[in-house]
Amino acid sequence: MTALQSLLRPGLWLTLAVVISVGLLAPLSGAAPLRETLFTLLMFIAFASSLNMMLGYTGYVSFGHIVFFGLGGYVGFYCLSQLGWPLLLAVPAGGLAAALLALLLGLSILRLRGAYFALATIGINEAMRAFINNFKPFGGPTGMSLNFAVYQDYGGPAQALWLTYYGVLALTLVTVVVSFLVKTSKFGLGLASVREDEDAAIVMGVRAPRVKTWAFVLSAIVPGMIGALFFFKNGNIEPTDAFRLHMSIEMIVMVMLGGQGTVLGPVLGAASYQQLRTYLLTSPIFKDLQLTFAGLSLLIIILFIPAGVVGFLRARAPKLRSVLE
């Protein structure tokens, strides 16, 4: 099947329709609170879809995926605040920095498997946070802040907020398309064979270290770019905000809740988890139990619906398999 034929499959267009429908709600309403809520939702969808390229397609569980968001945010913010670059260049710079880090990491830690790889990713996130915390050009523990006048180049703060919103919407759509193209390609077939039985895949000619590394690089680019957008929107960046380990755990919950290894799954998982997360954070009873519920959700998913929502529906309704990609 050619790439063009793959793009005509209904599963891709259903997923894109869901994301576009969500993304258009804020511009149509013009409401700032809704824009901020949907910005977070779209960001989570992009995170989950990018992590799915590793967790879902190769079976490698990464607890350090947030490191790409943090590094991309720092590099992009530095380019904006210290070098005076426009946002159009700073955002790709953040993605490139994340991709380079993923390439270096992939060449080393992706020879590890199972729990060893997972533990290594946790260590990398903590090591990066400690490094940035002591790296003076990036502001050390106090981080960096933008001069308010920077936003005047983008029509003022209000217009800059809408610009970042459209940026994260575009990056989310790109992530979904790339995830789909990877899944339906020969490259994706190699990743799937690694997931099912890596030793057998190697015997059959799959160059496992190489395909895993490139999947890792692809999964890192968009989180790095979104990091640059996110902290431009916030106007400041600190190590504690950029490298939150619990966000990596939440990404894993989103992917597994919706259905790992699928294109629609991370979208549904991110939307469902975001609803739960919003309720917990605004509840006077459960506001301090967010991560407890995240861990409990992960346990329930593993025990009762390991294939996630999309996998459950595909198994119960075979006729839906063509549209639930």
Side-chain angles (χ1 to χ4, degrees):
M1 182 180 294
T2 65
L4 179 59
Q5 289 174 320
S6 296
L7 290 173
L8 297 177
R9 288 165 61 167
L12 170 63
W13 292 101
L14 172 64
T15 307
L16 290 177
V18 171
V19 176
I20 292 171
S21 299
V22 170
L24 289 178
L25 290 176
L28 291 176
S29 70
L34 180 61
R35 179 196 64 212
E36 295 305 300
T37 299
L38 293 181
F39 180 96
T40 302
L41 174 56
L42 290 169
M43 182 174 70
F44 281 166
I45 290 174
F47 284 168
S49 295
S50 64
L51 177 60
N52 187 49
M53 294 185 211
M54 278 301 295
L55 173 59
Y57 296 166
T58 71
Y60 276 65
V61 181
S62 172
F63 284 95
H65 204 64
I66 197 65
V67 75
F68 303 125
F69 168 78
L71 179 63
Y74 259 101
V75 171
F77 202 92
Y78 182 82
C79 292
L80 284 162
S81 62
Q82 305 301 317
L83 303 181
W85 288 16
L87 186 64
L88 192 61
L89 293 179
V91 170
L96 178 60
L100 289 174
L101 177 63
L103 180 60
L104 293 175
L105 293 177
L107 294 173
S108 54
I109 67 170
L110 277 171
R111 296 185 182 278
L112 302 174
R113 299 189 190 181
Y116 298 103
F117 173 79
L119 289 172
T121 59
I122 296 175
I124 286 165
N125 184 72
E126 296 307 299
M128 181 61 70
R129 181 168 62 180
F131 171 75
I132 296 295
N133 202 55
N134 293 279
F135 191 58
K136 297 304 180 184
F138 282 175
T142 59
M144 297 180 286
S145 298
L146 272 179
N147 188 319
F148 193 79
V150 169
Y151 295 109
Q152 299 307 318
D153 295 334
Y154 304 94
Q159 290 301 316
L161 289 173
W162 280 109
L163 178 63
T164 58
Y165 179 83
Y166 289 123
V168 79
L169 173 59
L171 289 174
T172 302
L173 292 171
V174 168
T175 308
V176 169
V177 173
V178 171
S179 177
F180 177 83
L181 291 175
V182 168
K183 181 184 177 183
T184 56
S185 67
K186 182 179 178 180
F187 173 60
L189 184 61
L191 296 177
S193 65
V194 168
R195 179 188 62 209
E196 298 304 321
D197 190 328
E198 186 166 346
D199 291 325
I202 294 173
V203 170
M204 296 300 294
V206 176
R207 304 182 70 175
R210 173 179 290 186
V211 298
K212 289 185 298 182
T213 297
W214 285 114
F216 203 39
V217 170
L218 284 174
S219 73
I221 296 173
V222 168
M225 297 176 73
I226 290 179
L229 279 175
F230 179 84
F231 291 108
F232 167 77
K233 170 179 169 291
N234 282 13
N236 70 287
I237 185 170
E238 298 177 6
T240 53
D241 294 329
F243 302 99
R244 295 180 178 178
L245 180 61
H246 70 82
M247 286 188 67
S248 287
I249 299 172
E250 290 179 313
M251 290 182 213
I252 294 172
V253 174
M254 294 175 206
V255 174
M256 297 195 69
L257 175 60
Q260 58 179 312
T262 67
V263 179
L264 179 61
V267 176
L268 298 181
S272 301
Y273 183 77
Q274 173 63 3
Q275 289 298 312
L276 174 63
R277 181 175 179 271
T278 301
Y279 169 75
L280 293 175
L281 290 176
T282 56
S283 170
I285 300 175
F286 302 112
K287 63 181 180 180
D288 297 322
L289 298 174
Q290 175 193 347
L291 294 182
T292 302
F293 277 89
L296 182 61
S297 300
L298 187 58
L299 178 62
I300 292 173
I301 293 165
I302 293 172
L303 290 176
F304 299 105
I305 48 170
V309 173
V310 172
F312 178 83
L313 293 175
R314 284 167 61 94
R316 296 297 185 279
K319 292 183 179 180
L320 294 177
R321 291 185 178 180
S322 63
V323 295
L324 297 178
E325 196 68 55

